[in-house]
Amino acid sequence: MELVFTVVGMYLIDTAGRKKLMAVGSGLMVLFALGISFSYANNYQLRMLIFVMCFTSCFAFSMGPIPWIMIPELFPTYLRGRTTGICTVFLWGTSWAIGQFTPMLISSIGGMGTFLVFACTNLICFLGVATFVPETKDKTLEEIAELWQPKGEKRSNAQLEVVRATADPKQAESDIKAAEAELARARPCQGACHRHQGRSRSAGQRAEAVLIPSCLPALCE
């Protein structure tokens, strides 16, 4: 089920938008976590199974895959590598903590209390997404970077168009320079290979010059 709804999320991410999917998913996770808590309290096993499946499905199309897509989008190029690494460590750390401490919570405060905690954390997540997370669908990296600028320093639409127009030539120029540097590094190796081939041919010619006269008397006999 998680795989199926992850594919659904991949399809919807560029149509519905990142922020909307995360808000809808985290909001539904609040409701289903409350349903799991209620089922624990009343020992409704079938309802608990249904709510767990719904909770997992909502996570699969929203808070599961989308943060991995948005993290590299939100940070500028000069910070992207470091910040993506820090966020990755944080995400895997929280996954480890949930897997490690959920059984302890269930044994100490029970399933009802544990999923009430999860409902509260998902409510905080929903409010954070609705308040702070920008929508990055159909936006270039320059437009996303502009979202974090102070209001007095924001550039006009015309300035953004200039930035977008000059981004591709600058990238092409840097690619050309990198290719020229690679070619310059490869030239000494090519020269050495040509010299080696030349020496091999000259050695072969000298060997032929020595062997052919020595073989002629044997051939004549």
Side-chain angles (χ1 to χ4, degrees), residues 31-214:
L31 299 178
F32 292 131
L34 292 174
I36 296 170
S37 178
F38 176 78
S39 300
Y40 257 111
N42 295 278
N43 198 23
Y44 295 151
Q45 296 184 358
L46 180 60
R47 292 183 185 179
M48 185 188 306
L49 176 62
I50 294 171
F51 285 135
V52 168
M53 293 172 66
C54 294
F55 184 91
T56 304
S57 302
C58 293
F59 174 82
F61 73 77
S62 60
M63 300 308 298
I66 296 178
W68 295 102
I69 297 172
M70 289 196 69
I71 287 169
E73 290 179 338
L74 292 177
F75 296 104
T77 304
Y78 68 94
L79 286 176
R80 189 167 296 140
R82 296 177 185 176
T83 51
T84 301
I86 293 170
C87 293
T88 300
V89 170
F90 179 78
L91 284 172
W92 281 113
T94 53
S95 298
W96 173 85
I98 291 171
Q100 185 73 20
F101 295 111
T102 297
M104 299 180 187
L105 284 172
I106 292 176
S107 62
S108 60
I109 63 175
M112 177 182 176
T114 300
F115 280 92
L116 282 177
V117 171
F118 288 165
C120 292
T121 55
N122 280 288
L123 179 60
I124 295 171
C125 176
F126 170 78
L127 296 175
V129 169
T131 306
F132 299 110
V133 176
E135 178 58 75
T136 59
K137 184 188 72 147
D138 297 332
K139 286 185 171 61
T140 64
L141 294 177
E142 292 79 14
E143 290 172 334
I144 295 171
E146 191 68 18
L147 295 174
W148 304 110
Q149 295 289 334
K151 291 185 178 180
E153 299 180 7
K154 285 191 176 182
R155 289 173 286 191
S156 63
N157 291 332
Q159 290 173 322
L160 286 175
E161 289 295 333
V162 171
V163 171
R164 284 196 295 269
T166 57
D168 290 339
K170 287 181 180 178
Q171 182 64 36
E173 184 179 354
S174 64
D175 292 341
I176 291 171
K177 288 181 180 179
E180 290 175 348
E182 187 68 25
L183 182 60
R185 286 194 297 269
R187 280 173 183 165
C189 297
Q190 293 176 352
C193 291
H194 289 314
R195 288 194 296 272
H196 177 71
Q197 291 173 357
R199 286 196 296 269
S200 299
R201 284 196 295 269
S202 61
Q205 291 171 357
R206 287 197 299 270
E208 290 176 0
V210 171
L211 289 173
I212 290 174
S214 62

